[in-house]
Amino acid sequence: GRVLTQEELDAIVAVALAWPMLGAFLLLRRVTLRDALVIATAAHAEADQLLTTDRRWPTARKLGLVITITTL
């Protein structure tokens, strides 16, 4: 895959830090930081679908997202 620019990473981190619900899930250890950044990236990009292999992820509804999360 391509490497993100510093500007793109800054935007993703800003979204993750500014999104209170995501921060709450991080604090409760419902998702890892890596997963939170993936979710924040999808939210920032206004993605329609997010794929994961981790069955422990909260639902899109619990995350406050209008997105389809598919567990493979």
Side-chain angles (χ1 to χ4, degrees), residues 16-61:
L17 293 175
W19 196 9
M21 184 174 287
L22 187 56
F25 279 107
L26 278 169
L27 289 174
L28 295 171
R29 305 230 186 264
R30 301 280 305 267
V31 295
T32 64
L33 177 58
R34 178 181 56 214
D35 291 342
L37 289 173
V38 168
I39 294 165
T41 301
H44 181 73
E46 299 178 357
D48 296 321
Q49 187 162 341
L50 184 57
L51 302 176
T52 182
T53 57
D54 191 340
R55 297 188 187 283
R56 298 172 295 169
W57 272 26
T59 63
R61 174 179 268 177

